[in-house]
């Protein structure tokens, strides 16, 4: 199981770029890195996924260095509606040991 | 539009009672999952299924059971509810044909065991 480590919480002002870094030192060759977002009283939802280098979609960017031992989720110009918990997930060895951890609670401040 | 639904959304029960939480998806996904979420623990996998008649234990399966009789449904049963099972339960599904295993989550069921 590729264990992930990410900050428990972060605060940011509206309009700023937010970067959340996740460490996954024992990531396996075939693993993908996936980030989910969870709003209060809702289920998590997929926001972005990558294998290496950089991936960008309409919501976020994901930066993965060559050694893949970490990844950084970048949220451009956050708004109050981006206040949520963000989970970094790396799948290893099937679903039995999938864990989302406690994620990073992002609080956007007006 | 395809979706995944859970029922009931809220449930209060008593210790020792049997409780079944329903999960229904119209994505036609082979993979389905049940998680529980508690403060300080994040999401923990209870059971999962790769297809009809297939079920597997997750990280915290004691006291829970599932059965998969069709593609769309994976009901979660608490055989004898305990106060430690008070939690928010999420069902999810994913397409086994897609390598990257993106999971789609339901809205959750808040269960209180008194």
């Amino acid at each position: 199981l590729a264990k992930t480590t990410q900050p428990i919480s972060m605060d940011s002002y509206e309009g700023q770029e937010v970067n959340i870094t996740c460490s996954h030192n024992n990531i396996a060759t075939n693993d993908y890195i996936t980030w989910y977002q969870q709003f209060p009283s809702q289920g998590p939802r997929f926001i972005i996924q990558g294998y290496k280098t950089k991936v960008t979609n309409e919501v976020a960017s994901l930066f993965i260095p060559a050694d893949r031992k970490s990844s950084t989720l970048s949220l451009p110009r956050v708004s109050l509606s981006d206040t949520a918990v963000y989970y970094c997930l790396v799948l290893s060895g099937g679903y039995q040991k999938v864990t989302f951890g406690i994620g990073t609670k992002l609080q956007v401040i007006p | 539009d395809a979706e995944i639904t859970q029922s009931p959304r809220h449930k209060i029960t008593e210790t020792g009672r049997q409780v079944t939480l329903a999960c229904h998806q119209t994505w036609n996904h082979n993979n389905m999952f049940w998680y529980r979420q508690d403060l300080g623990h994040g999401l923990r996998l209870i059971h999962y299924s790769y297809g009809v008649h297939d079920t597997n234990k997750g990280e915290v399966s004691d006291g829970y059971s599932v059965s998969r009789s069709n593609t769309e449904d994976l009901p979660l049963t608490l055989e004898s509810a305990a106060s430690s099972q008070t939690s928010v339960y999420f069902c999810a599904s994913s397409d086994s044909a897609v390598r990257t295993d993106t999971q789609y989550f339901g809205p959750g069921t808040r269960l209180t065991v008194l």
Side-chain angles (χ1 to χ4, degrees):
Chain A
L1 172 66
K3 181 180 177 181
T4 60
T5 303
Q6 52 184 121
I8 294 175
S9 65
M10 296 180 68
D11 292 336
S12 176
Y13 289 103
E14 276 191 293
Q16 290 189 330
E17 178 183 76
V18 171
N19 296 311
I20 305 174
T21 297
C22 177
S23 297
H24 28 79
N25 291 323
N26 57 341
I27 188 170
T29 302
N30 295 328
D31 289 338
Y32 279 75
I33 300 152
T34 308
W35 286 80
Y36 287 81
Q37 174 190 56
Q38 185 178 25
F39 297 114
S41 301
Q42 294 185 25
R45 68 166 187 152
F46 167 88
I47 49 175
I48 199 165
Q49 184 176 71
Y51 182 80
K52 61 180 179 180
T53 63
K54 177 183 176 181
V55 179
T56 297
N57 62 22
E58 66 278 5
V59 176
S61 294
L62 180 60
F63 299 91
I64 305 168
D67 66 6
R68 304 200 329 122
K69 293 183 182 300
S70 67
S71 58
T72 299
L73 175 73
S74 180
L75 304 172
R77 302 174 61 82
V78 294
S79 64
L80 295 176
S81 63
D82 293 315
T83 293
V85 177
Y86 293 82
Y87 298 94
C88 169
L89 183 65
V90 175
L91 284 176
S92 297
Y95 292 104
Q96 184 172 2
K97 297 182 179 179
V98 168
T99 178
F100 279 69
I102 61 173
T104 297
K105 186 174 183 179
L106 172 65
Q107 180 69 52
V108 179
I109 306 165
Chain B
D1 289 344
E3 62 178 355
I4 180 166
T5 57
Q6 295 183 233
S7 62
R9 295 294 312 279
H10 302 272
K11 175 76 175 179
I12 300 175
T13 191
E14 296 177 344
T15 301
R17 290 189 179 269
Q18 183 182 76
V19 176
T20 297
L21 309 182
C23 175
H24 179 80
Q25 53 99 1
T26 58
W27 293 96
N28 199 34
H29 286 164
N30 283 327
N31 302 333
M32 295 186 72
F33 314 86
W34 274 103
Y35 295 87
R36 61 177 288 175
Q37 186 169 38
D38 307 287
L39 283 175
H41 289 279
L43 284 153
R44 292 183 290 177
L45 183 63
I46 305 172
H47 282 285
Y48 59 102
S49 168
Y50 288 147
V52 177
H53 302 310
D54 176 76
T55 61
N56 305 279
K57 294 181 178 180
E59 178 187 359
V60 289
S61 60
D62 288 347
Y64 303 95
S65 64
V66 294
S67 63
R68 187 90 178 271
S69 59
N70 58 52
T71 299
E72 297 79 17
D73 299 289
L74 186 69
L76 177 71
T77 297
L78 288 68
E79 300 294 342
S80 178
S83 57
S84 61
Q85 294 177 308
T86 293
S87 186
V88 179
Y89 291 86
F90 289 101
C91 178
S93 70
S94 70
D95 185 354
S96 59
V98 178
R99 170 62 182 87
T100 51
D101 300 319
T102 301
Q103 295 185 34
Y104 296 84
F105 283 80
T109 293
R110 183 175 294 277
L111 176 67
T112 302
V113 182
L114 301 177

